[in-house]
Amino acid sequence: MPVATATATQDILQLYKQTRAQTEKICKPLEPEDTVVQPIVDVSPPKWHMAHTSWFFETFLLKQHLQGYKEFHPKYSYLFNSYYNNVGNRVQRDQRSTLTRPPLRDIYTFREHVDEHMQQLLQSISEEKLQEILPVLQLGLQHEQQHQELLITDIKYILSTNPLLPTYTPQLVKKTTQATKANFLEVPGGTYTIGYRGDDFCFDNELGVHDVQLEDFQIMNRLVTNGEYLEFMQDGAYQDFRHWLDEGLAMVRKDNLEAPLYWLQQDGEWHRFTMHGLQKVDLNEPVTHISFYEADAYANWAGKRLLTEFEWEAASQVYPPASGNFVESDLLEPTAADPGKEGMQQLYGDTWEWTYSAYHPYPGFTKAPGAIGEYNGKFMINQMVLRGGSCATPENHIRTTYRNFFHPDKRWQYNGIRLASK
Amino acid sequence: MPVATATATQDILQLYKQTRAQTEKICKPLEPEDTVVQPIVDVSPPKWHMAHTSWFFETFLLKQHLQGYKEFHPKYSYLFNSYYNNVGNRVQRDQRSTLTRPPLRDIYTFREHVDEHMQQLLQSISEEKLQEILPVLQLGLQHEQQHQELLITDIKYILSTNPLLPTYTPQLVKKTTQATKANFLEVPGGTYTIGYRGDDFCFDNELGVHDVQLEDFQIMNRLVTNGEYLEFMQDGAYQDFRHWLDEGLAMVRKDNLEAPLYWLQQDGEWHRFTMHGLQKVDLNEPVTHISFYEADAYANWAGKRLLTEFEWEAASQVYPPASGNFVESDLLEPTAADPGKEGMQQLYGDTWEWTYSAYHPYPGFTKAPGAIGEYNGKFMINQMVLRGGSCATPENHIRTTYRNFFHPDKRWQYNGIRLASK
Amino acid sequence: MPVATATATQDILQLYKQTRAQTEKICKPLEPEDTVVQPIVDVSPPKWHMAHTSWFFETFLLKQHLQGYKEFHPKYSYLFNSYYNNVGNRVQRDQRSTLTRPPLRDIYTFREHVDEHMQQLLQSISEEKLQEILPVLQLGLQHEQQHQELLITDIKYILSTNPLLPTYTPQLVKKTTQATKANFLEVPGGTYTIGYRGDDFCFDNELGVHDVQLEDFQIMNRLVTNGEYLEFMQDGAYQDFRHWLDEGLAMVRKDNLEAPLYWLQQDGEWHRFTMHGLQKVDLNEPVTHISFYEADAYANWAGKRLLTEFEWEAASQVYPPASGNFVESDLLEPTAADPGKEGMQQLYGDTWEWTYSAYHPYPGFTKAPGAIGEYNGKFMINQMVLRGGSCATPENHIRTTYRNFFHPDKRWQYNGIRLASK
Amino acid sequence: MPVATATATQDILQLYKQTRAQTEKICKPLEPEDTVVQPIVDVSPPKWHMAHTSWFFETFLLKQHLQGYKEFHPKYSYLFNSYYNNVGNRVQRDQRSTLTRPPLRDIYTFREHVDEHMQQLLQSISEEKLQEILPVLQLGLQHEQQHQELLITDIKYILSTNPLLPTYTPQLVKKTTQATKANFLEVPGGTYTIGYRGDDFCFDNELGVHDVQLEDFQIMNRLVTNGEYLEFMQDGAYQDFRHWLDEGLAMVRKDNLEAPLYWLQQDGEWHRFTMHGLQKVDLNEPVTHISFYEADAYANWAGKRLLTEFEWEAASQVYPPASGNFVESDLLEPTAADPGKEGMQQLYGDTWEWTYSAYHPYPGFTKAPGAIGEYNGKFMINQMVLRGGSCATPENHIRTTYRNFFHPDKRWQYNGIRLASK
């Protein structure tokens, strides 16, 4: 059931519980010590994610709508507000590892406290009131799902910095993969309508539905694989300025990049750190943990280009994706395409797909008043749009109109490449 | 005469001489000591600009096409190449102030040497050959014009860091200015064709002519003034997070911004450093030397928004600009709009106008092969498009399809604000 | 019993057990989450200290001298070596918070493992062999004591960065303090012998016994108090360049210093963060958590000066200290002098005393061969000597010849001020 | 004539003129463009040195003692004050290259203005008044001499950053050098009196005459040569942690050091940039442009040690130096020792000799009141003492009690190595 289609109290409560339980499932394999560090500013401590998502419900629902509600702890809003200036001062983003207290067990208690009161709220309010708070409630659930994906990528990063290279979970049975031939599928030019037009939940950044004119183009039938990316590496592409945006080249040189994040050579063979420990690179699996710069350089090297977000959305209208390798598969890493399948694959799941579109407002975009208005709009600069979800995304979280966004140098997300041609 | 319309040898030679002379005119008021420093990495030493523009003609024309040509000095290509990886190693961008030698007088000799040989080349080649080299020759002249604008902004920055606040040139007679009422002009929605479609020179980034669909919108009849911007300041807007993009707010706080670049308060009154020394802020003149972040925050505060580059170009089709305050006025600062004029003003000249469009390739954009291909394409990330030219732009350099671009935090250019509504 | 006087096996074993138990006592109040973070590079995670001190015994004793000993874990030497290049590669100092694994409970197991085998070693070796390994064993115990002091100061720092300002332990009953009048005691000039001349343990940096000539001087009878330091603050001394070394002034301005570390004003009154939470500043207690720069500026402001380390050691010969407020008091903060006492006070304990002596080798200083030689010598630059121990120092760890050392900008240790006159 | 022995007006005036003329002689080979840049914060623009030394006379003599004197320009004190907080605000040290104006020719005019008025002052004051101002006048001349040495080293650095590697002056005829055998001369232990005891000028940091006790030691008969240092390099010493102080090793790794400053390999042979351009390294000349860390590492590698400043001064009492290769030789680079000479060589001149002594106050050191008191005392932290003068030092500027000082990482001065043994 898509998050947003639940409207009856019971459905919503069930959805709430499922969503909250999923967060705890993700954190279960962790030691308390794992939940507190912040190796880079992009990564938040898992404990912080667990508390922050609860703070969201406490702040925007319980304190507003549950009569007599007392906040769990008077300092938690200061500790666990992320970036909502409207809500007040807070721990600076790069200081989240100072929060060794409250200990993890207190955060679990906080979660229980919030969950009990959310249940109380939902069971006590009128249908009318329910409809009034539904948008914020849905936003809270979507928000928690976004943090579930961040939890996975942040845990991966935290474990990767540890010299012991610890395993998050053992791998489910690993199948031998096979190569799927790349080919390019036609998307006819014309006028396409962009943005969300349904009745369910969507983020404000998907609104401002508008038409764009596109010319004919071709889109690759699957994601670019590790094997293809290895050819790019072995061709000396990281050293060849011709393929790179100028700022990408500067990053490559400053950070001595020569491979995707998490790749390392051992005994002359490329391995990658995965959620299941260090493994040999599988040439048929999609390449991931690359920056936009690397995606763009790869496309240039291959004589192709990246899609714009409008082309991606148009393609998803021509080739509507049904399902994909999402977090529910419990694989937590991208999987190889299926050589037995015709046509489009992997448009959903496996890896987010970098587009050559800046994350800017659609025409007519307006921010909600107050804190909720800070959700998306204030980040609409210097970031690039990604589409399609990944192996860390909940299936009922994604839409073809969904706009994810990261700075072009970020590599710790499950981001990958799909090519366009002419 | 627009640069690009010259095709006969005599016309071209005259254009070449005029263009080159203009560079030297700009540098005339400088001391040799002024021409060598680099107070921030964005700013290049004037001496470097003078040499680099000559290096361009030597490298891409004389060494390729003038038989028997010997380069002026074997090391100059290393010293004065800007960013062309295809041409080889070079002094790093942030190291340009190490070039105290060659002294300024040698750079003038270098310029003469290049000019004499360019004259020789132009006078000796066949008409056919002329047509062959014309694109690069035109690019060289356009390139020199771009550096003329940079020279002016870089000289302004250099002088501004000096505690003596020296005057570049005395001001031409200063008229009293008057306020022009702001109003918003209609631009009807529909399909507009974007990009350069003429036969004269344009940059590669203007190509990839394509249609865009726009909805109705309204555009302000003039640039935002210092007076209007002062209201924004006095309303505490620099301290009010609600108006700002998140990265803009971070910049405001880190750099303690409270006014445009070059503004300083003296005896309780706002002054600004100009090319003619420190002056009281004129409330009717357009605000300039602001970042994209400030432009966007101003628009939010005013309950309006910035235009996209497509809207700007569409507006210029509906209200075609004729002339403006360009470098030829010798004013070197933006001027007040004319209250006596109806309709659109200042679309050309005075200040570049920040748009809310990322500097990305148009559909079908392709780079030229070799070094010339490095001219524009590799900068198409993290920068915002500006339109319309400024008081430091040569008049025959601008077009309505011209795309200037800077990172959103840059303030040392003559950049300003025009608002859109609805 | 001083660590170094134990020579019989039973005594040594008892000393070993006591010393190791003390480390665990210090860590007992911590949550696992507290033991893994590293808020500044000077501070190491408590878990790391616990493991590193065990690594020391494993590396320099068990692996060398206990036949058949297998190291606890093949990677621990990489994880928990501090700075011994002779022993091999290691986790970089600023990367110690990456070690979320092994979890704390594994480190306790590691400690038990080492302790059992140390017991086995000590109970199985011959008297002759015991004498051979005694110097390294004593060094291991002294080393663990040094890390006990660091544990306390690092825990204090970690807790202080937490917005909840958590208490390490409740305070023992707090007595009302009284002021002790400052006066200056004579130390006659002449030749003094500096350095350690006994038969027990000392560090290599105390050797190179040598004579120095001193002139008459006077030494303050107690440490400078918070009350005296507050006068310095209230006199505007942090803003008055005349009192400061140039680099001290630069630090004051860059970091906006206006009080010792851990001081903060609340409702117009100065408080300080202590091991027992936030408390009002007690004017009679010694000031602590100040840099050398602040100590020197205070002395200049007071018209006095700091002692050299030679003067301090000479004074300790004239006024031999018996005891002091060391870690055994369980107070963990400096205490007020006793107004009822005549003569010298606080020479031992309460706070380390900054001297105006660089931490350089004594004449004839030689480093031991191999890794042990890296213990002290390679740090003999840019650091200042401190004398006398603090409330975090074990009593049997200190000597009047003991040379502690820190960079002049460091504030997180229990460092304080004693003045000299003439 | 030593600066300080001049007491009659005519002698003083002559000395003044000679000293001032020497500054201008040093700057003569420069282009105006050379005089304005500041490639690293340690290096000041030559134009700034020329103005600052004149500012010193204007500020501390003319404005105080010449009736009716008007300062040359009201802003010059702001522009050319170096670090005297007592005198007021000033251009920040790292902003000196902003001073492209006033142009060099104005600085020459400023110098003439000051010189004319100084002449007027000296010729008009009474003998009694002369004696009163003599200490400051002498300080002004010594100060100018210190800046002459800095001018030479700063010019060298500025030219060295230029890819053209320009020559400051052509080399005087170059003799073939010969090796001088190293041996170690005895200095007997005992009590030595340290500090300046004469009647002429000395700096305040040489005062506080006091006795030190030294043990017997041996001192090398000459400076360490390039040839000897090359052996150290070729033995892999820059990569071998055992020889280095910990902070030295960190600097070596961070900056990829592998040779002294200004050394570069060309066609497999080591060259060094000199005041006369790039030259092959002469193996018999003293090594120079090294940090304290390198000097100390070399001594460790050689199985020796550096002297303390007290040992150096004692050695100069046992082996009094007569002359040396000072700036008057016009060689501007260190020269080889003379194999024909017995006994001690190069104690004076060629290169300053790093000692293992921190630059701290002598016992009883007091600062002068007011601005003059800022001359030395506030720098007495984190710096190491050097002794003996260099090829850039004026001969009448040096004494055996003279204490030069730099941070241990500084390499742009003419600093070198002399070893002690035992």
Side-chain angles (χ1 to χ4, degrees), chain A residues 33-216:
Chain A
E33 292 93 330
D34 297 326
T35 69
V36 72
V37 295
Q38 183 173 35
I40 54 172
V41 72
D42 294 321
V43 164
S44 292
K47 198 172 67 175
W48 184 91
H49 283 294
M50 295 180 81
H52 166 67
T53 45
S54 307
W55 165 90
F56 194 99
F57 288 109
E58 181 178 71
T59 302
F60 296 119
L61 287 168
L62 295 178
K63 286 163 78 171
Q64 317 279 331
H65 302 290
L66 180 62
Q67 209 169 359
Y69 179 76
K70 285 243 175 62
E71 58 187 356
F72 179 70
H73 188 290
K75 287 266 193 171
Y76 275 27
S77 186
Y78 180 77
L79 302 184
F80 300 121
N81 176 0
S82 54
Y83 56 68
Y84 296 86
N85 291 301
N86 276 287
V87 179
N89 283 329
R90 61 195 174 277
V91 171
Q92 286 308 295
R93 172 156 196 161
D94 60 356
Q95 296 297 309
R96 291 179 182 162
S97 76
T98 63
L99 303 175
T100 66
R101 314 276 178 99
L104 182 58
R105 64 175 177 279
D106 287 13
I107 300 309
Y108 274 106
T109 310
F110 177 38
R111 291 184 67 89
E112 281 166 34
H113 176 91
V114 166
D115 289 350
E116 281 161 20
H117 288 85
M118 280 297 297
Q119 178 156 357
Q120 193 181 320
L121 172 65
L122 288 173
Q123 288 172 341
S124 63
I125 60 174
S126 65
E127 175 64 18
E128 193 186 347
K129 183 80 180 168
L130 178 66
Q131 294 312 315
E132 179 197 329
I133 69 169
L134 204 55
V136 175
L137 177 55
Q138 284 173 330
L139 185 62
L141 294 171
Q142 299 281 341
H143 172 259
E144 182 126 2
Q145 289 187 312
Q146 291 182 314
H147 280 277
Q148 287 164 6
E149 176 146 8
L150 289 172
L151 264 168
I152 291 167
T153 55
D154 291 1
I155 290 168
K156 185 169 186 178
Y157 194 93
I158 287 169
L159 297 180
S160 81
T161 64
N162 190 307
L164 301 174
L165 295 179
T167 290
Y168 170 70
T169 54
Q171 187 170 19
L172 301 184
V173 183
K174 163 107 181 146
K175 291 188 298 189
T176 310
T177 63
Q178 282 185 291
T180 298
K181 199 172 166 327
N183 55 61
F184 283 80
L185 310 174
E186 296 294 333
V187 179
T191 300
Y192 287 87
T193 302
I194 299 297
Y196 185 73
R197 283 173 291 173
D199 298 324
D200 291 336
F201 176 87
C202 77
F203 285 110
D204 56 1
N205 61 28
E206 299 166 64
L207 295 177
V209 173
H210 63 290
D211 286 350
V212 299
Q213 300 260 53
L214 298 178
E215 304 191 24
D216 294 351

Side-chain angles (χ1 to χ4, degrees), chain C residues 28-281:
Chain C
K28 201 156 191 328
L30 302 181
E31 301 286 343
E33 292 93 331
D34 297 325
T35 70
V36 72
V37 295
Q38 182 173 36
I40 54 171
V41 72
D42 293 323
V43 164
S44 292
K47 197 172 70 175
W48 183 91
H49 284 294
M50 296 180 82
H52 166 66
T53 47
S54 307
W55 166 88
F56 193 98
F57 289 110
E58 181 177 71
T59 303
F60 296 119
L61 286 168
L62 296 177
K63 286 165 79 172
Q64 317 279 330
H65 301 291
L66 180 62
Q67 211 168 354
Y69 179 76
K70 285 240 176 65
E71 57 186 0
F72 180 72
H73 189 291
K75 286 266 195 172
Y76 274 28
S77 186
Y78 180 78
L79 302 184
F80 299 121
N81 176 2
S82 55
Y83 56 66
Y84 298 86
N85 292 300
N86 277 286
V87 179
N89 284 329
R90 59 193 174 277
V91 171
Q92 286 307 296
R93 173 158 195 159
D94 60 357
Q95 295 299 308
R96 289 179 182 163
S97 75
T98 62
L99 303 176
T100 66
R101 315 277 177 97
L104 182 58
R105 63 175 179 278
D106 286 12
I107 301 307
Y108 274 106
T109 310
F110 177 37
R111 291 184 68 87
E112 281 165 34
H113 175 90
V114 165
D115 290 350
E116 281 161 21
H117 287 86
M118 280 298 296
Q119 178 156 355
Q120 192 182 322
L121 172 66
L122 287 173
Q123 288 173 340
S124 64
I125 59 172
S126 65
E127 176 61 22
E128 194 186 344
K129 185 77 183 170
L130 178 65
Q131 294 311 315
E132 182 198 326
I133 69 168
L134 204 54
V136 176
L137 177 53
Q138 284 172 330
L139 185 62
L141 294 171
Q142 299 281 340
H143 173 258
E144 182 126 4
Q145 288 187 313
Q146 293 182 314
H147 279 277
Q148 287 164 6
E149 178 146 7
L150 290 171
L151 264 168
I152 292 167
T153 54
D154 291 1
I155 290 168
K156 186 170 184 177
Y157 195 93
I158 287 168
L159 296 180
S160 80
T161 63
N162 190 308
L164 301 174
L165 293 180
T167 291
Y168 170 70
T169 55
Q171 188 171 19
L172 301 184
V173 182
K174 162 107 181 147
K175 291 188 298 190
T176 309
T177 62
Q178 283 186 290
T180 297
K181 198 174 166 327
N183 57 59
F184 283 80
L185 311 174
E186 296 294 333
V187 180
T191 301
Y192 288 87
T193 302
I194 298 298
Y196 185 73
R197 281 173 293 173
D199 297 325
D200 291 337
F201 177 86
C202 79
F203 285 110
D204 55 1
N205 61 27
E206 299 167 64
L207 294 178
V209 173
H210 64 289
D211 287 348
V212 300
Q213 300 259 53
L214 297 178
E215 304 191 26
D216 295 352
F217 69 96
Q218 299 178 308
I219 179 172
M220 198 167 169
N221 62 321
R222 58 159 172 74
L223 294 168
V224 169
T225 64
N226 285 326
E228 287 163 337
Y229 198 82
L230 196 57
E231 284 180 55
F232 164 77
M233 287 162 56
Q234 288 169 344
D235 195 36
Y238 273 94
Q239 287 75 50
D240 188 340
F241 66 83
R242 292 173 306 161
H243 311 310
W244 295 85
L245 286 164
D246 199 54
E247 298 189 5
L249 190 63
M251 174 179 164
V252 163
R253 290 180 177 167
K254 184 173 155 293
D255 298 346
N256 296 312
L257 301 189
E258 51 166 17
L261 181 63
Y262 300 137
W263 285 40
L264 63 93
Q265 232 169 349
Q266 230 171 36
D267 306 322
E269 246 182 319
W270 281 109
H271 291 66
R272 49 190 291 275
F273 177 72
T274 72
M275 293 300 266
H276 322 299
L278 197 66
Q279 300 190 338
K280 264 195 222 174
V281 166

